[in-house]
């Protein structure tokens, strides 16, 4: 089905089932009857999490309608601060960031909204949604009463919350509850004054009637610092948990009122180098039934996970970055496809209230566009004049991304060997200051990779004065626990032997802008043989045409890069995200149809960081109709995450 055809069907269904803007209503906590009350009537929500920031705007209707047709009467969504204010005072609520449009769509669908505006959200999102520019104050204490942090929060909430107020249920909108902060009981600060400040801040902008709440793990240790008077305390826990014991923890904080599991995990998150998380439909359905049977309100996290496009993925610890896919083994896949789990959940919900009549929107079709030949454009170091819009910065010691006003992506650090290294000499980051991965070359020859928490030394040889290039990749900032002050780049000095390296020239790289402007495509592709591995980071390009005479094209697809190792990929200037099939478990990247064209060739740009398969002949990428998110992964240490628990990350 084409996007046009799908949109027409969605419009028809919206007319059949949709709800127009309503009159102001009431929504409250009934502490006597242990329930919520909506317009005076007892109300129980069965909700699902959807992150608008992980789904192209063109697909919001499709995903919301599938959620409505599953029997949900509410959705839950986070608002990532850094998604809307990438630079201080510069707000973006347009296109895929049009939050008000998303909320209106939910209301039109007949779905209530549980809003989670932070300021911190976790969400496996870069820095838990906090903007990296907060780190310009190096000793800032995030998520606390730190005056600089509070000043920034007040300004952001002063922009956001007035936008949200018309969407409150009391004002005729869909928002029934608003979360303050997020799992604060899992954070070391335990700053009650901070939580009190946020409570007053939210009340001042949203009024006294809206139900404000907190969410924490289902344990007294979490609720001790996470709950506070004036905010309704809820808990989160996954399938297989002791439902009675979990809600008993909530009852410790809230002796009366509705039972609420704000994050009932339908799946779990992934990390590069660890197996894809899978949670069985039967276990999810069983636990959901147990909660609904005792009258609990439940939010299914996630109902659809979506994609960490670009650089938006977070990291759960210094070496635990999340992959591009945020599929989460959710009831709807990353691409919005229906699953066995979707229907299992729908059958459980049927036991408790009527499911909407009418057809469920089908899984969107996928198309395998086939193989696309790629040619080398230029090495990254040779393209510096094109990539570094701001030009080089000279510094005795390395500077971080934030010191050079760059939040994401890659930065090149250049110096020279101060002495002859006739025998292999260790180039090291003795304080583990490579954040997060560094590709090292000497005199134009790649010599190795430094990696945070894993590899802090490579041996180099060369003559005094030889150019040393170190390309540093920001793999995604830590989003959970005590290490969210996550500076990127070379955050401490490097040493050569026993001596500290000095005399740096640093290039902030605007790769995304260069790709969007087709500046790299203006280079003449090279057919010259590549040097022997390991290779220098380099750009490669190819294009393919989608015929405009075939009905229903373009369609969604997946790109995979056989025999490529690690890098970043763009299509028509849109940053799809990172690929790393050599570490896995993700192999394919989701390509939504809206970024493809039938009117012009579709340009594919790849930044391969380690080794492109182009040395012995033609190389290519492949578009397929089937995702691969569960490839076998090699062993990178014995760190394996326990499902539904983050205790090891605190």
């Amino acid at each position: 089905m084409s996007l046009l055809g799908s949109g027409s069907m969605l419009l028809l269904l919206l007319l059949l089932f949709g709800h127009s803007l309503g009159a102001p209503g009431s929504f409250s906590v009934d502490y006597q009857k242990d329930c919520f009350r909506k317009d005076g009537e007892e109300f129980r929500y069965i909700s699902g999490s959807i992150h608008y920031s992980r789904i192209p705007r063109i697909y919001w209707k499709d995903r919301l309608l599938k959620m409505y047709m599953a029997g949900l009467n509410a959705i839950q969504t986070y608002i990532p601060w850094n998604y809307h204010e990438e630079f201080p005072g510069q707000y973006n609520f347009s296109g895929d960031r049009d939050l008000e449009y998303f909320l209106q769509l939910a209301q039109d669908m007949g779905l209530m909204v549980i809003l989670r505006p932070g300021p911190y959200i976790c969400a496996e999102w870069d820095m838990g949604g906090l903007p990296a520019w907060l780190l310009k104050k190096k000793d800032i204490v995030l998520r606390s009463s730190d005056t600089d942090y509070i000043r920034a929060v007040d300004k952001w909430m002063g922009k956001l919350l007035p936008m949200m107020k018309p969407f409150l249920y009391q004002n005729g909108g869909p928002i029934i509850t608003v979360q303050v902060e997020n799992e604060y009981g899992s954070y070391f600060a335990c700053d009650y004054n901070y939580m009190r400040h946020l409570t007053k801040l939210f009340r001042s902008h949203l009024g006294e009637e809206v139900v404000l709440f907190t969410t924490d793990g289902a344990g007294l240790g979490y609720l001790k610092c996470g709950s506070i008077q004036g905010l309704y305390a809820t808990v989160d826990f996954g399938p297989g948990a002791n439902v009675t014991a979990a809600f008993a923890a909530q009852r410790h904080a809230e002796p009366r009122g509705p039972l609420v599991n704000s994050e009932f995990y339908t799946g779990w998150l992934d990390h590069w180098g660890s197996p894809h998380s899978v949670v069985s439909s039967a276990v999810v359905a069983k636990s959901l039934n147990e909660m609904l049977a005792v009258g609990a309100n439940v939010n299914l996290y996630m109902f659809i996970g979506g994609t960490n496009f670009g650089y938006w993925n977070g990291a759960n610890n210094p070496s635990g970055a999340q992959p591009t896919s945020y599929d989460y083994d959710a009831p709807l896949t990353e691409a919005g496809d229906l699953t066995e789990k979707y229907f299992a959940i729908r059958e459980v919900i049927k036991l408790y209230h009527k499911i909407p009549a009418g057809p469920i929107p089908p899984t969107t079709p996928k198309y395998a566009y086939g193989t696309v030949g790629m040619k080398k454009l230029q090495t990254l170091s040779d393209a510096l004049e094109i990539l570094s819009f701001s030009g080089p910065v000279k510094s005795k010691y390395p500077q971080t991304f934030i010191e050079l006003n760059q939040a994401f992506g890659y930065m090149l650090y250049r110096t020279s060997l101060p002495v002859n290294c006739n025998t292999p000499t260790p180039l090291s980051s003795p304080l583990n200051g490579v954040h997060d991965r560094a590709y090292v070359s000497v005199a134009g020859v790649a010599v190795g990779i430094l990696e945070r928490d894993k590899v802090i030394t490579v041996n180099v040889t060369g003559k005094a004065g030889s150019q040393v290039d170190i390309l540093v990749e920001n793999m995604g900032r830590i989003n959970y626990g005590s290490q969210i002050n996550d500076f990127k780049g070379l955050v401490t000095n490097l040493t050569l032997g026993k001596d500290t390296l000095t005399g740096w020239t640093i290039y902030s790289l605007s790769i995304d802008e260069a790709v969007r402007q087709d500046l790299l495509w203006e280079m003449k592709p090279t057919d010259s043989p590549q040097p022997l591995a390991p290779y220098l980071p380099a750009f490669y390009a190819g294009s393919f045409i989608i015929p405009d005479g075939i009905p229903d094209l373009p369609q969604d697809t997946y790109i995979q890069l056989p025999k490529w190792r690690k890098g970043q990929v763009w299509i028509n200037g849109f940053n799809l995200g990172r690929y790393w099939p050599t570490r896995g478990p993700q192999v394919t990247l989701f390509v939504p149809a809206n970024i493809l064209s039938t009117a012009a060739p579709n340009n594919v740009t790849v930044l391969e960081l380690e080794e492109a398969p182009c040395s012995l002949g033609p190389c290519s990428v492949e578009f397929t109709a089937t995702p691969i998110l569960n490839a076998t992964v090699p062993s990178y240490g014995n760190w394996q995450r326990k499902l539904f628990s983050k205790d090891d990350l605190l």
Side-chain angles (χ1 to χ4, degrees), residues 6 40 48 72-73 96 110 157 232 240 275 288 347-348 351 388 397 455 468 471 483 503 508 610 615:
S6 176
L72 303 182
N73 58 7
D96 287 345
M157 289 301 172
Y232 191 75
L288 176 61
E347 289 303 310
V348 173
L351 301 175
S388 185
Y397 300 112
V455 181
V468 179
L471 178 67
Q483 296 178 283
S508 177
E610 296 183 10
S615 58

Side-chain angles (χ1 to χ4, degrees), residues 265-399:
Y265 303 112
T266 62
W268 197 238
L269 49 108
D270 283 346
H271 299 90
W272 292 117
S274 296
H276 177 53
S277 297
V278 176
V279 179
S280 79
S281 302
V283 171
V284 171
K286 181 175 183 293
S287 289
L288 176 61
N289 189 41
E290 288 177 22
M291 289 185 290
L292 296 181
V294 298
N297 298 262
V298 180
N299 174 71
L300 294 97
Y301 188 103
M302 297 294 299
F303 204 87
I304 174 170
T307 308
N308 296 312
F309 292 116
Y311 310 111
W312 288 115
N313 67 277
N316 269 320
N317 70 16
S319 57
Q322 285 103 28
T324 300
S325 172
Y326 195 65
D327 179 83
Y328 213 84
D329 194 35
L332 294 173
T333 70
E334 174 183 16
D337 297 351
L338 304 169
T339 67
E340 174 194 352
K341 192 175 290 182
Y342 175 94
F343 291 101
I345 288 170
R346 193 171 188 262
E347 289 303 310
V348 173
I349 294 174
K350 269 186 184 179
L351 301 175
Y352 296 92
H353 73 74
K354 187 177 179 181
I355 295 287
I360 299 170
T363 289
T364 54
K366 311 297 183 295
Y367 194 86
Y369 297 101
T371 299
V372 176
M374 303 292 287
K375 288 189 175 183
K376 183 178 178 181
L377 294 175
Q378 203 164 0
T379 65
L380 184 143
S381 59
D382 287 341
L384 279 180
E385 286 190 14
I386 291 174
L387 300 174
S388 185
F389 287 21
S390 56
V393 172
K394 293 189 180 298
S395 176
K396 183 175 182 180
Y397 300 112
Q399 296 188 35

Side-chain angles (χ1 to χ4, degrees), residues 7-167:
S8 300
M9 189 189 78
L10 287 169
L11 180 61
L12 175 62
L13 289 167
L14 281 171
L15 292 173
L16 290 171
F17 305 117
H19 296 249
S20 60
L21 279 169
S26 64
F27 192 87
S28 61
V29 174
D30 185 337
Y31 290 96
Q32 303 302 316
K33 299 289 187 178
D34 296 333
C35 66
F36 289 115
R37 292 218 170 261
K38 178 171 169 280
D39 299 327
E41 300 294 325
E42 184 173 334
F43 178 80
R44 187 253 294 273
Y45 67 70
I46 306 173
S47 168
S49 284
I50 172 173
H51 298 161
Y52 63 92
S53 56
R54 287 180 159 126
I55 298 168
R57 172 184 173 129
I58 197 170
Y59 281 134
W60 289 350
K61 283 183 183 179
D62 174 80
R63 310 310 192 242
L64 289 169
L65 185 54
K66 286 170 179 170
M67 296 173 78
Y68 177 77
M69 295 304 296
L72 303 182
N73 58 7
I75 62 162
Q76 185 193 85
T77 196
Y78 278 128
I79 301 175
W81 179 1
N82 55 7
Y83 193 59
H84 296 286
E85 192 182 3
E86 290 193 58
F87 302 96
Q90 298 180 26
Y91 304 108
N92 186 350
F93 289 94
S94 63
D96 287 345
R97 293 168 168 82
D98 192 343
L99 172 58
E100 292 171 304
Y101 177 70
F102 177 78
L103 295 174
Q104 186 62 59
L105 281 178
Q107 180 164 19
D108 291 345
M109 207 75 64
L111 292 163
M112 299 292 101
V113 174
I114 299 158
L115 196 69
R116 307 175 88 183
Y120 163 83
I121 63 169
C122 185
E124 290 72 63
W125 187 266
D126 185 85
M127 207 164 139
L130 299 176
W133 49 259
L134 290 170
L135 300 178
K136 279 188 169 291
K137 179 188 177 184
K138 291 185 178 181
D139 60 350
I140 194 169
V141 182
L142 301 172
R143 306 178 69 194
S144 79
S145 298
D146 180 293
T147 54
D148 293 284
Y149 176 70
I150 289 295
R151 187 180 301 113
V153 168
D154 287 353
K155 185 178 179 184
W156 162 240
M157 289 301 172
K159 171 68 176 179
L160 175 68
L161 295 181
M163 293 173 60
M164 298 297 97
K165 189 172 183 179
F167 291 91

Side-chain angles (χ1 to χ4, degrees), residues 616-628:
L616 301 178
C619 54
S620 62
V621 300
E622 182 181 344
F623 289 91
T624 176
T626 307
I628 304 173

